[in-house]
Amino acid sequence: MEKQPGASPETAAAAAEVAAQFRSLVSAEDVESIKQAQHLILGRLQDSNAVLIHFNEYSEQCFAEVSSDLASKARLLKSMKDDLDHIFMKLRSMKSRLATTYPDAFPDGAMAKTMDQRPDLETPLE
């Protein structure tokens, strides 16, 4: 402990006494066991951090490999859906022309049931 200029010997003795009292509140063994526990926890956290960094790098690499393929497949599915919508629209128009041209070929109400039997994929299922 440094002695400050102008500090009296009584002040120095009182400071030493307070410091000794603080040291006696916690034993050196307790402080050492706390330090060891903190060191152990630090090691575990560093290991966990390393594992997470490795996992993030691996996930990023996998995503980079898959994302372009996924985008091309999504474009293909959208194109197929547009093509099928166009085909079904043509079929509906052909069915309605047949129904108007040959009304006797279809019994009453049969055309309404067969006009469009595909499910609506745009609405959510319940």
Side-chain angles (χ1 to χ4, degrees), residues 15 33-34 47-48 65 70 80 90 100 105 108 119-120 124:
S33 68
I34 290 172
D47 291 345
S48 298
E65 292 173 2
L70 182 65
M80 290 171 64
K90 289 288 190 183
T100 56
D108 292 336
D120 186 8

Side-chain angles (χ1 to χ4, degrees), residues 5 14 36 39 52-53 56 58 62 79 83 86 106 110 114 117 124:
Q36 287 177 353
H39 186 68
L52 289 173
I53 287 171
N56 284 339
Y58 176 73
C62 289
S79 171
D83 291 345
H86 180 72
F106 300 102
T114 61
Q117 294 181 350

Side-chain angles (χ1 to χ4, degrees), residues 3-14:
K3 218 175 171 191
Q4 295 182 354
S8 67
E10 294 110 19
T11 307

Side-chain angles (χ1 to χ4, degrees), residues 72-90 92 116 118-123:
S72 68
K73 299 291 191 248
R75 283 192 300 274
L76 177 65
L77 284 174
K78 181 162 179 15
S79 171
M80 290 171 64
K81 181 188 180 305
D82 292 343
D83 291 345
L84 286 173
D85 285 343
H86 180 72
I87 290 168
F88 280 112
M89 183 182 68
K90 289 288 190 183
R92 279 193 298 273
D116 190 4
R118 66 188 180 120
D120 186 8
L121 300 176
E122 300 293 325
T123 57

